[in-house]
């Protein structure tokens, strides 16, 4: 299109010179050539603007798709430690007892209840949970904690024999949950754990994706 425009203008320049009978009269021809060059530049700019507009529309469409993919996605995550202050043993109790992790670092979605130590799923999905345990300070350790889903034992950390003390361990699991499922850390009956300001006993979890 740009080449055709330039050719027409050049022909027009030649005809103008012939009709006017002034072979040494270049002003009109130079003006037409300048105009042709300007048309060429405008056509190039217009083409580039068209490409930019196409890219902009593509970017806007991708952003809209991203918004649709992420909008309304549940955000569930929490992390807590056992004691708010002080130090000492927790337990022993006569029965298995859910541990109450009262020092809450984060609780996105408010699914974890520090008053009970229980996480209750508000979204059906796949979740990740991790917990750690510090044993008691006695010569023979006597500590057992377990990750529980409702009444099902999923994973445990034990330290119940040996001549040393101050051992620490951790465990984790990725599990599916439906709305209303409860997850908590259970201290076994007649066992105890130790903690102080260093926050050895932790309980954390978050939603990987909903289903």
């Amino acid at each position: 299109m740009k080449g055709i425009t330039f050719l027409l203008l050049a022909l027009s320049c030649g005809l103008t010179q012939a009709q006017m009978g002034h072979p040494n009269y270049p002003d009109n021809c130079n003006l037409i050539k300048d105009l042709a060059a300007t048309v060429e530049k405008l056509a190039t700019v217009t083409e580039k603007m068209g490409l930019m507009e196409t890219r902009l529309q593509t970017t806007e469409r991708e952003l809209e798709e991203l918004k649709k993919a992420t909008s309304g996605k549940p955000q569930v995550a929490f992390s807590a430690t056992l004691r708010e202050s002080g130090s000492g043993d927790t337990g022993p109790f006569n029965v298995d007892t859910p541990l109450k992790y009262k020092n809450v670092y984060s609780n996105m979605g408010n699914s974890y209840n520090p008053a009970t130590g229980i996480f209750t799923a508000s979204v059906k999905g796949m979740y990740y949970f991790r917990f750690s345990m510090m044993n008691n300070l006695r010569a023979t350790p006597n500590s057992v904690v377990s990750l529980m889903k409702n009444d099902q034992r999923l994973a445990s950390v034990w330290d119940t024999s040996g001549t040393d003390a101050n051992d620490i361990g951790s465990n984790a699991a990725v599990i599916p949950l439906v709305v209303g499922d409860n997850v908590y850390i259970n201290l076994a009956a007649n066992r105890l754990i130790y903690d102080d300001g260093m926050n050895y006993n932790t309980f954390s979890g978050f939603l990987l994706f909903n289903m």
Side-chain angles (χ1 to χ4, degrees):
M1 184 63 183
K2 293 184 291 184
I4 294 174
T5 301
F6 182 80
L7 179 60
L8 291 174
L9 290 171
L11 289 172
S12 177
C13 174
L15 289 173
T16 301
Q17 288 183 350
Q19 290 171 355
M20 294 182 65
H22 296 287
N24 297 321
Y25 188 76
D27 290 346
N28 285 340
C29 186
N30 290 336
L31 180 62
I32 292 172
K33 289 180 179 179
D34 290 342
L35 182 60
T38 302
V39 170
E40 291 271 356
K41 291 179 181 179
L42 286 174
T44 301
V45 171
T46 301
E47 183 179 351
K48 290 181 178 180
M49 289 182 64
L51 292 173
M52 291 177 64
E53 183 177 359
T54 300
R55 291 175 181 174
L56 180 60
Q57 291 175 350
T58 301
T59 300
E60 290 177 345
R61 184 169 61 253
E62 290 174 348
L63 285 173
E64 287 299 322
E65 292 175 355
L66 182 61
K67 287 180 181 179
K68 291 179 181 179
T70 58
S71 62
K73 183 178 180 180
Q75 296 180 333
V76 182
F78 78 97
S79 184
T81 60
L82 190 64
R83 302 179 70 98
E84 292 180 296
S85 62
S87 61
D89 291 332
T90 297
F93 305 106
N94 294 329
V95 296
D96 290 358
T97 303
L99 290 171
K100 300 175 183 178
Y101 296 81
K102 297 181 180 180
N103 186 25
V104 179
Y105 292 143
S106 59
N107 194 11
M108 180 69 71
N110 293 315
S111 294
Y112 174 71
N113 185 350
T116 61
I118 296 174
F119 173 89
T120 302
S122 58
V123 177
K124 181 181 179 181
M126 193 69 69
Y127 290 78
Y128 172 86
F129 293 95
R130 183 183 183 278
F131 63 104
S132 62
M133 180 206 76
M134 178 72 172
N135 68 8
N136 56 291
L137 287 174
R138 301 182 184 182
T140 302
N142 189 29
S143 302
V144 178
V145 297
S146 301
L147 176 68
M148 308 290 294
K149 173 185 174 182
N150 299 322
D151 294 327
Q152 178 186 3
R153 192 183 310 276
L154 302 178
S156 299
V157 177
W158 291 63
D159 192 15
T160 59
S161 63
T163 58
D164 63 337
N166 292 324
D167 291 328
I168 190 169
S170 65
N171 213 332
V174 174
I175 58 175
L177 298 178
V178 299
V179 176
D181 277 344
N182 293 322
V183 177
Y184 56 95
I185 304 301
N186 194 60
L187 176 64
N190 303 313
R191 310 291 186 174
L192 63 161
I193 55 176
Y194 173 84
D195 212 335
D196 56 27
M198 299 299 290
N199 298 321
Y200 306 110
N201 296 275
T202 64
F203 182 31
S204 303
F206 55 87
L207 173 67
L208 292 170
F209 54 85
N210 56 325
M211 298 186 300

